[in-house]
Amino acid sequence: RLRWSASALTHFGRRPTRNTRPMVRTSILCLSLIAGFVFALAAADAPLRTTAQPTDWPQWRGPDRDGMSPDTGLLKDWTVKAPRPLWTADGMGRGFASITSVGGRIYTTGNQATGQAVVCLQASDGKVLWTKNITETVPKHSYDGSRCSPSIDGERLYAIASSGKIACLKLTDGSEIWSRDFKDWGGRMMSGWGFSESPLVDGDWLLCTPGAGSAMIVALDKLTGKEVWKTAMPPAEGGGKDGAGYASIMVSSGGGVKQYVQLVGRGLIGV
């Protein structure tokens, strides 16, 4: 049930200016500033950790989706001697996605020659372990490329293609367990740039944002992909546009009520 909404800002939905340059990622340089990936960083004044696994980074922006990591001992000053790069991995495909990591493996998404894919690498040396297309063709929209950082839950991985295809894959080899498409709910983006969301796993549910008037947010059974519930978006006044936006769902307990908060084309909503 939609609990509240806030109108979008007046500038929401504008196209980038002529000077805007899209940041497209096609390879990974293993010199990460994200604390959760310190296994990829050899500090100048300390040996690389080998006896303990670093904190897993199983979803967009980390374990709690807040960009915070409990890792310590990071090199704060690079002016004297910077950390050395360990490896560079190509073959990630074209896209704007960040990376997630669990159990010594790194996951990301990108456009490959025949479709948009999830790519799995070995964290120790950057070797590509498997690549799995989650679309049958390369999605076509403005600023081509993937947007999703895969979400990891147990032995399963969840990813949303910029076309709106959502897939559950096995971590071991990338084989598909189930898939759905935002078209199942009449999904739409607020623009022609492609869906830009990293799915949320919460308990037994997988939550995502098709952007339809009758199904702005849906909750799926994470094991089967079957719909649990969907949230209708009532007509909204003010700025913005109908459809999903460029955001991923967050869990909030504001006001003592658990709710899913999402920024959609018409503004901020709580479900």
Side-chain angles (χ1 to χ4, degrees), residues 84-156:
R84 57 186 175 86
L86 297 181
W87 48 259
T88 299
D90 295 319
M92 303 303 100
R94 182 181 178 87
F96 304 85
S98 62
I99 58 178
T100 53
S101 178
V102 170
R105 290 185 172 189
I106 296 173
Y107 303 89
T108 190
T109 59
N111 280 3
Q112 302 291 337
T114 59
Q116 197 164 107
V118 176
V119 183
C120 172
L121 303 87
Q122 193 162 275
S124 59
D125 57 11
K127 178 183 177 182
V128 175
L129 300 177
W130 53 260
T131 300
K132 171 65 176 179
N133 280 6
I134 56 174
T135 64
E136 296 180 355
T137 60
V138 177
K140 295 299 181 183
H141 46 71
S142 297
Y143 297 101
D144 287 352
S146 66
R147 282 94 160 107
C148 174
S149 303
S151 297
I152 314 298
D153 180 63
E155 296 301 315
R156 294 174 174 82

Side-chain angles (χ1 to χ4, degrees), residues 23 36 53 68 94 108 116 172 185 194 205 217-218 252 258:
M23 297 178 64
Q53 289 291 325
M68 302 293 290
R94 182 181 178 87
T108 190
Q116 197 164 107
T172 52
W185 297 276
W205 298 347
I217 291 176
V218 299
S252 170
K258 181 179 178 179

Side-chain angles (χ1 to χ4, degrees), residues 26 57 62 107 124 128 176 194 202 249 257 267:
T26 57
W57 201 259
Y107 303 89
S124 59
V128 175
E176 183 178 296
D202 187 32
I249 301 168
V257 178

